[in-house]
Amino acid sequence: MQKQLGVTIGEILVLKADGGTMTLADSQDRPIETILSGPAASIMGVRALAECQEENFVIVDIGGTTTDLAVVVEGQVLFERSGATILGYKTLVPALLTRSIGLGGDSALHFCTEEQKVIIGPQRAGLPVCRGGARLTPTDAAVALGLATIGDKTRALAQWQRWAKELGLAWQELAKLVLEAFTRQLTEAVENLYGELENVPLYTISEVLNPPQIRPQAVVGLGAPAGVFVPRLAENLHLPYEIVPFSAGANAIGAGAAQPTIGVTLHADTELGTVTIPEMGYQGTLERPLFFTQEKARDLATTKTQEHAQAQGYDATAQVYVVEEEHFNMVRGFRTVGQTFTVRTQLRPQVRKIGGGQSNEQG
Amino acid sequence: MNKAKNQVGLIFFPAFDWAITPDHPERQERLLYTRDQIQEEGLFDHPSIVEYRPIVATDEQISRTHICVPNLDRHVTESHRIAAGGTILAADLVVDGKVDRAFALLRPPGHHANRVIHGSRGFCTVNNEAIMVDHLRHRLGPDLKVAIVDTDAHHGDGTQDIFYNDPGVLHISLHQDGRTLYPGTGFISERGGPAAFGQTVNIPLPPETGDEGMLMVMERVVLPILQEWQPDFVVNAAGQDNHYSDPLTNMNFSAQGYAQLTEMLAPDIVVLEGGYSIESALPYINVGLLLALAGLDYSKVREPNWRPDTVRQSSALTAEVARICDLVLAQWKTRQEEDLERVFGQGDFFERRRDIYYDTDNIYENQQEYIRLCRDCPGWRVIYTASSHFRDPVAAISVPWKVCPKCLEEARTHYAAEEENTNFAQAIWQQPISRS
Ligand SMILES: [Zn+2]
Ligand SMILES: [Zn+2]
């Protein structure tokens, strides 16, 4: 195969749901980690292409059928708390947090006569009329109003006029109602997502008193229809926006720009005096179990991650971060008889920076 | 997935960063095993159980119920505000129709906290469910009728103290007999003040009472009383220290018993109280309780070390519990026939003098309370209080919900006089006001 194509394939890397990549060999040991790499690719695309310098922003990926939302807080993309969810089942596979809504350039349109408003999606209408489809879509509204140049504008216009006449409206009015509906539904979805995140349960007093600040300071958009709808969304949210370049292909760029990552899970038990790391087949003993702390567990996991990365041929100089950690006092009667620590650390998923896009901010 | 009958709101707040002292039974880890059990059983993922983040109770909400000496900030920490706030949220979720029932699974607990606060008693500083009940009346109006069923192994003496003269609240406490356990109160003869006589119902149970005895009390006493009184809300102060493995008590309840109790009682709001067997009892009781609240099958919930004879009670004990049931029910039925003048005396005021011990903080309080005997309302009251910790006496004037104009006027006059009175370090005014 390599010879037929006349190119040499160096190393095949597989994208994971958390935006990192792993080697093909690793993917055979942990095949489940290959799920949900699609949304991760878009997000890594944004990280490779966007210039946004804000600490917190929302990523809006508008496609034909759906729009996917992701959240960046303090410069880091948020992860799902208990891993990726597939068909309602939590998998514990580390995954970037994304929310998908049935709203896109090819979504079906419904006119609600009582309220004189348009409702979009969640079903897909098929190809837009301007591209030979049978039913009008949000893309046709953008094309008819001259906000986008895709396909056959005359064909779309004719259909708008027909539908507007049936409803007793001017076609421009109807097409504008579609844009408004799209923006309204998109704004609601963003609000709902932040509402949901702000209701994530907190278990300590310090967190309840100082809940993490997650609200976005900017909107970063991608996907073919982003140029039309993201500025309108940003206006509704009173935020600056940016649309990444090569918007339609950002997904593929993200997959290409993602860097390898690898991690370990450390379990320590002070009652038994043991440390284990299943990924490395490592079993050790704690020298002074009584003095073992969360801090030490974290340091040990970090060192072991670097060792493991080096042994597996990864870039061991990349920053190691704590994916999750837990500290548990084992209590019998009223006495603490031991402590267990679980720390999961990983090389931070990285992307190669590629370039910036257009935005409404000067400078 | 099993279909649930009820949508349950869960306000889970373990306060992982707070304890009275590192070795205290009311400590950080109290709810850790419970969280793991709920998580492992998949209850956090069940569509009928929705978790909510607690809110922080305000000074106004706490002061509606409590009189703090010398002031609120001296006693009430963030952990107390969040526990009280989480309980308030549980009530709000039900009132707003967001859920059918709510469970405030949080700490620190509150049912030993009296109206007047000089410190902490029985690991409690502020009374979470009492603050919640007053919040409900603030929101929905003073005519609201709330029943509190306290199933903690210890007598709910703080809640009893707060509501003992309050006709809007029915307080039923079933607990291990006060002659054998802290706080040493909760006898059948404690029946409430002149304006709410009979609405304090105490059911002291002999040590070693098991599921059978507890469910007998529910069936023969608690449910008939609730059926007759017709409350708008039923609150369960769900202490879990009746469990056979609890290190502080001598009772013999099991997780199955608790779950059956919950199904029978069908409470609108459940608030965690005590329960210190954090590894052997709480995880199982809370899973059973949550399933029962949601109307899901709980029949398979069993402690790993449970054996049929663990919770079996002797026939002599069963006969004793039956006798107590008959006594309490007979008292309830004749509550309106009692001659109140004989019980509370004649005159303008009913007087109560008490010495109160704060075991957690080792404080002694001396209290004198005078309640105005009034035909038109529950009557205003004045409380004179001082303690080994705050020696300068304080005068607190408290008017009830639905105070009559005459009592309000009298109370104001009296407050003005106490403000001038140099015998007192300060005069405190307490008046709950309804928004609706
Ligand atoms: Zn208790
Ligand atoms: Zn009166």
Side-chain angles (χ1 to χ4, degrees), chain B residues 111-112 122 152-155 181 239-242 248-249 273-276:
Chain B
H111 75 147
H112 295 304
D152 191 278
H154 302 92
H155 175 224
L181 189 69
Q240 305 179 350
D241 40 13
N242 285 310
L248 301 188
T249 69
E273 282 299 338
Y276 306 97

Side-chain angles (χ1 to χ4, degrees), chain B residues 65-66 110-116 121 124 127 129-130 150 155-164 171 183 185 354:
Chain B
T65 303
H66 288 295
H111 75 147
H112 295 304
N114 290 340
R115 177 179 299 274
V116 175
R121 308 179 63 239
C124 304
N127 196 309
E129 56 263 17
D150 187 322
H155 175 224
D157 58 344
T159 318
Q160 173 173 315
D161 170 69
I162 292 168
F163 296 123
Y164 91 107
H171 183 248
T185 52
R354 292 189 300 164

Side-chain angles (χ1 to χ4, degrees), chain A residues 256-319:
Chain A
Q259 301 275 43
T261 162
I262 191 169
V264 304
T265 314
L266 176 142
H267 303 282
D269 184 325
T270 65
E271 196 183 6
L272 301 172
T274 57
V275 192
T276 56
I277 300 174
E279 292 91 341
M280 301 173 73
Y282 174 85
Q283 292 200 325
T285 47
L286 289 174
E287 272 169 29
R288 301 171 73 199
L290 282 177
F291 297 94
F292 199 70
T293 59
Q294 183 95 2
E295 205 71 57
K296 287 188 175 144
R298 215 177 286 156
D299 290 348
L300 185 59
T302 305
T303 319
K304 288 290 174 193
T305 304
Q306 284 157 343
E307 259 175 48
H308 188 44
Q310 188 121 37
Q312 301 291 316
Y314 287 79
D315 173 14
T317 61
Q319 191 200 354

Side-chain angles (χ1 to χ4, degrees), chain B residues 283-415:
Chain B
Y284 307 100
I285 295 173
N286 284 310
V287 165
L289 207 159
L290 265 175
L291 289 172
L293 271 185
L296 291 163
D297 177 19
Y298 57 79
S299 60
K300 303 289 189 296
V301 178
R302 273 279 180 240
E303 302 84 342
N305 63 357
W306 183 89
R307 301 287 172 274
D309 51 350
T310 324
V311 296
R312 195 166 290 151
Q313 58 186 39
S314 71
S315 51
L317 200 149
T318 305
E320 174 61 8
V321 174
R323 191 187 67 85
I324 294 164
C325 287
D326 291 345
L327 261 174
V328 175
L329 199 62
Q331 255 195 190
W332 165 261
K333 288 200 172 130
T334 56
R335 70 192 185 282
Q336 279 149 349
E337 294 153 27
E338 261 347 295
D339 177 3
L340 294 183
E341 281 193 358
R342 197 181 58 79
V343 181
F344 297 103
Q346 292 168 316
D348 296 337
F349 288 90
F350 161 60
E351 182 189 348
R352 191 165 74 143
R353 284 167 188 265
R354 292 189 300 164
D355 290 310
I356 299 156
Y357 179 54
Y358 292 71
D359 59 314
T360 308
D361 289 343
N362 192 28
I363 294 172
Y364 292 88
E365 179 195 353
N366 182 270
Q367 202 187 92
Q368 267 171 280
E369 181 181 47
Y370 297 87
I371 297 183
R372 184 76 163 98
L373 293 167
C374 174
R375 238 187 278 274
D376 302 318
C377 81
W380 66 279
R381 72 178 91 184
V382 56
I383 303 168
Y384 300 113
T385 173
S387 70
S388 55
H389 206 64
F390 301 105
R391 290 170 188 279
D392 299 331
V394 166
I397 286 85
S398 175
V399 300
W401 292 96
K402 301 177 77 171
V403 66
C404 76
K406 206 172 114 257
C407 278
L408 184 59
E409 192 47 45
E410 266 183 42
R412 280 194 177 129
T413 312
H414 193 80
Y415 174 68

